[in-house]
Amino acid sequence: MNINYINWGRIDYAQALAKQRELFDYKVGQKLEGNKNISQDFIVCEHNNVYTLGLHGKDTNMLITDAMLKKIGAQVFRTNRGGDITYHGPGQITGYPILDIDALGLGIKDYIDVIEQSVIDVMATYNIQCERLHGATGVWIDINTNKCRKICAIGVKASRGITMHGFALNVNTDLNYFSYINPCGFIDKGVTSMQKEIGSKCDYGKVAREVFEKFKQLVENK
């Protein structure tokens, strides 16, 4: 199965969103024309400091003023993905798989499950024990304790079986930026990173590639 691994590197959110939309719209158009050989692209990148709100995101989950946003060098965008508010920034793997999940034999729930499992499996190789939290997408640690914290957020959009948006895995992320929001709308759960869990920085590029390889393996074994 040919799934392309594409790394856009450090890119502003607005530019990445425009590139995503162009690819997404093109592939939806191909699908409508009956094309059976749509390219499968697993895109990763890193953003400058930005907050994004999903379709059901509440403005009240942004806890600071426009003046403070400017001071910390962050922007805000409202998007058409699922989920509430989250942060993207340096040291975080932001994944934008733009895939024809019909051709992969996946429904949208299966697709999200595969992303979650890919991250859970890769984190286990770093001795970070993660799991799912019922009723909340993403990848979590210590779900049944008062230390419950998220290491990977997920918010996707799909139309005609074509996906966009995706996941955000905190590798060496500055977690202070999460203190300015209610991440994903939660006020009683924390956020973490690989660096925080392990106590040292991780190889960002290596982790990104590992998540892709695990995703591809899980899809092939579906």
Side-chain angles (χ1 to χ4, degrees):
M1 181 181 300
N2 187 31
I3 303 178
N4 305 309
Y5 178 74
I6 300 169
N7 190 337
W8 283 347
R10 179 77 70 87
I11 182 172
D12 278 336
Y13 184 80
Q15 184 183 357
L17 184 60
K19 291 179 72 169
Q20 265 200 92
R21 283 175 173 159
E22 184 179 356
L23 267 173
F24 175 80
D25 290 345
Y26 175 70
K27 291 183 183 185
V28 169
Q30 285 187 308
K31 193 82 174 281
L32 290 170
E33 290 171 4
N35 190 325
K36 304 289 188 185
N37 296 302
I38 296 169
S39 67
Q40 307 281 18
D41 299 322
F42 190 101
I43 299 161
V44 298
C45 64
E46 231 178 331
H47 289 310
N48 297 313
N49 298 317
V50 64
Y51 296 100
T52 67
L53 285 93
L55 287 170
H56 305 294
K58 296 179 181 176
D59 292 334
T60 52
N61 286 322
M62 169 59 70
L63 306 178
I64 57 174
T65 63
D66 290 347
M68 185 62 180
L69 276 169
K70 188 173 181 180
K71 185 175 180 181
I72 64 173
Q75 295 179 292
V76 179
F77 287 86
R78 187 170 283 279
T79 75
N80 60 353
R81 62 165 170 77
D84 202 292
I85 190 170
T86 196
Y87 162 78
H88 301 304
Q92 181 193 77
I93 297 167
T94 306
Y96 296 133
I98 304 181
L99 306 167
D100 178 1
I101 56 174
D102 291 341
L104 298 178
L106 301 174
I108 188 65
K109 186 180 183 302
D110 299 323
Y111 168 60
I112 292 171
D113 284 348
V114 171
I115 295 176
E116 289 173 338
Q117 195 61 51
S118 301
V119 173
I120 289 169
D121 289 354
V122 171
M123 292 302 97
T125 68
Y126 291 86
N127 294 316
I128 302 172
Q129 301 308 309
C130 301
E131 52 196 320
R132 293 180 175 88
L133 177 62
H134 180 70
T137 56
V139 178
W140 301 79
I141 300 172
D142 290 339
I143 63 170
N144 295 315
T145 74
N146 60 6
K147 295 181 180 177
C148 180
R149 56 204 183 275
K150 181 183 277 191
I151 197 166
C152 179
I154 295 173
V156 303
K157 170 185 168 63
S159 178
R160 304 285 178 174
I162 305 296
T163 63
M164 67 178 289
H165 301 298
F167 67 93
L169 172 61
N170 296 321
V171 180
N172 305 315
T173 316
D174 182 350
L175 298 176
N176 288 322
Y177 280 88
F178 286 99
S179 67
Y180 303 123
I181 60 174
N182 292 324
C184 302
F186 292 106
I187 60 173
D188 60 343
K189 295 176 177 62
V191 179
T192 191
S193 67
M194 294 180 69
Q195 181 180 4
K196 183 174 181 180
E197 296 299 319
I198 295 170
S200 60
K201 283 197 170 187
C202 299
D203 185 328
Y204 178 97
K206 180 172 179 283
V207 175
R209 188 81 199 196
E210 287 168 345
V211 172
F212 163 70
E213 295 293 349
K214 178 55 68 171
F215 177 88
K216 187 177 177 184
Q217 178 189 345
L218 290 172
V219 169
E220 288 172 346
N221 292 335
K222 269 285 182 183

